[in-house]
Amino acid sequence: MAKRKKVEPEIKAEATAKAEISAKIIRQRKHSITEVIPPDVTRARASAWLDILSPITEWAGLKGDALRYQRQQLRIQQDEALDRLAEIVRRKMRSRDVSTPLPPKIVVPALEAASLESPSSPLIEWWANLLVSGAAGTEIRPYLINLMKAIGPQEVECLNKIWTGLSSKKDYISGDFNLPLRAAFKLKRWLEVELVKIKGRTFTSDDYLTTFLGIFEKLTKRSEKAGVPARMELSQERSTADRGHRLSFSCYSKLMDNAIPIEVCLALKLLEEHEQTFEPDFRANDITIPNEFERTIGLRIIVPSNLGLEFLSVCDPAR
């Protein structure tokens, strides 16, 4: 009886060849995947900005490898953005002492988020102001970093205009008072001054609209300059309005044209809006208005919330 030939070596050789081919494919796939991920995401080169920023953090005193180790823990995207941030921080800290080194819970997410910005973005300075405020002793809530991540250049421009006006009016933001009430009160007082100027007038419909819309334009501009975007409105009586619809006529601050940035800030609760109606003292000034118009005036104002005031005081670009 003839013996059967052994075929095991051929089977093993074929299996080995397939294994090698599979291994090559796997290695090629792994290689292609790792090349897609920028190396700067997880491990970036050591940069000068870390040496500049380390004195205001809990990394102060670390040298050489220890400092580089902290750098490697960060998921940095653009060193150029942090180079600019570090220069701003160094300039602003020249006249200040570091009273509170920033803990990793603040500095790490702040630097990672700031590195996502364009080096020319106005947000870089706001990130620098946040770090400087914390290092100089202001309490920095971690949530403020989340708010910084959520806004863009348009929101910064909007908030900057509001804060520039408010911070120049110490009676708006100093002391224990309600900012919306104070802002509305000032607008009403300004209107009273304007009413004195037209004391004794009897208005036709056209004159009433022309005169009061002119007053509203003047007052809303003044309010915006003080950091409080406002809208003032007068309306027809419902009974005389066409088809039962009440016609209204208003003037509003130019900043309100930036509807989306304002809506973003309202959604983040950095800003809040307040509406009310009030009746000017026409009788005391002997002013007669047309019967087809309501005697009340509508007022809408937008002001920073308490959270917004804290956020803006920390990121104040004037620091």
Side-chain angles (χ1 to χ4, degrees):
M1 185 176 181
K3 294 184 179 179
R4 293 181 180 178
K5 294 182 180 180
K6 293 184 178 180
V7 294
E8 291 181 2
E10 292 181 6
I11 295 174
K12 289 182 179 180
E14 184 179 355
T16 303
K18 288 182 178 179
E20 289 177 355
I21 292 172
S22 299
K24 287 180 180 179
I25 292 173
I26 292 171
R27 282 197 298 272
Q28 288 172 354
R29 286 178 178 172
K30 286 183 177 180
H31 182 65
S32 63
I33 291 171
T34 54
E35 284 184 340
V36 170
I37 302 174
D40 212 28
V41 171
T42 55
R43 180 177 52 82
R45 65 187 187 280
S47 299
W49 61 261
L50 185 60
D51 297 320
I52 296 174
L53 292 176
S54 61
I56 69 170
T57 73
E58 290 183 352
W59 303 335
L62 298 181
K63 302 292 183 182
D65 291 340
L67 195 57
R68 282 192 292 273
Y69 172 76
Q70 295 294 344
R71 171 63 173 81
Q72 291 171 357
Q73 306 313 301
L74 303 175
R75 296 173 61 86
I76 301 303
Q77 301 290 334
Q78 296 186 90
D79 281 283
E80 293 80 4
L82 295 189
D83 287 339
R84 179 167 176 252
L85 180 145
E87 288 302 322
I88 296 173
V89 169
R90 178 162 61 179
R91 171 167 50 83
K92 291 176 180 287
M93 288 300 296
R94 283 174 184 165
S95 58
R96 295 179 172 91
D97 294 325
V98 179
S99 61
T100 310
L102 297 171
K105 188 174 183 178
I106 297 297
V107 73
V108 169
L111 293 179
E112 289 178 348
S115 75
L116 294 170
E117 306 291 348
S118 166
S120 60
S121 170
L123 283 154
I124 294 294
E125 184 154 3
W126 281 49
W127 281 112
N129 292 329
L130 184 147
L131 296 176
V132 168
S133 296
T138 302
E139 180 184 0
I140 304 296
R141 302 179 195 274
Y143 186 62
L144 299 186
I145 296 172
N146 293 333
L147 291 174
M148 277 292 299
K149 291 179 181 179
I151 63 175
Q154 289 185 333
E155 288 73 46
V156 164
E157 181 181 5
C158 175
L159 291 171
N160 187 26
K161 289 179 179 178
I162 291 174
W163 182 246
T164 298
L166 276 178
S167 60
S168 67
K169 305 291 183 183
K170 300 303 181 184
D171 56 333
Y172 272 95
I173 57 175
S174 61
D176 184 16
F177 65 88
N178 186 299
L179 176 56
L181 291 179
R182 173 62 64 88
F185 174 78
K186 280 187 171 291
L187 269 166
K188 293 176 187 177
R189 289 293 301 271
W190 296 342
L191 179 60
E192 289 176 7
V193 173
E194 296 299 321
L195 292 180
V196 172
K197 297 178 183 179
I198 56 175
K199 190 172 183 177
R201 291 274 303 271
T202 298
F203 289 96
T204 64
S205 295
D206 289 342
D207 285 344
Y208 180 63
L209 282 175
T210 301
T211 301
F212 274 81
L213 290 180
I215 291 173
F216 291 173
E217 182 179 10
K218 177 181 178 180
L219 298 187
T220 53
K221 284 182 178 179
R222 183 177 179 183
S223 183
E224 179 173 346
K225 188 175 181 180
V228 181
R231 184 188 70 201
M232 301 183 75
E233 178 181 272
L234 51 86
S235 304
Q236 284 185 323
E237 290 279 2
R238 289 187 183 277
S239 59
T240 60
D242 184 36
R243 296 182 181 179
H245 295 291
R246 184 177 63 171
L247 297 179
S248 60
F249 309 86
S250 64
C251 283
Y252 55 87
S253 301
K254 187 177 180 180
L255 192 58
M256 286 185 171
D257 285 333
N258 300 326
I260 294 180
I262 285 179
E263 288 178 11
V264 170
C265 293
L266 288 170
L268 293 172
K269 300 189 183 302
L270 291 171
L271 298 176
E272 56 189 26
E273 59 182 342
H274 295 265
E275 296 187 12
Q276 62 175 268
T277 58
F278 66 97
E279 184 175 346
D281 199 349
F282 293 121
R283 184 173 299 177
N285 290 285
D286 193 24
I287 295 173
T288 304
I289 68 171
N291 291 330
E292 65 262 33
F293 286 94
E294 293 186 351
R295 299 184 64 84
T296 57
I297 289 175
L299 176 63
R300 177 189 180 224
I301 58 174
I302 295 176
V303 295
S305 63
N306 290 334
L307 173 63
L309 287 173
E310 180 176 322
F311 176 76
L312 289 169
S313 65
V314 165
C315 300
D316 175 12
R319 280 180 176 270

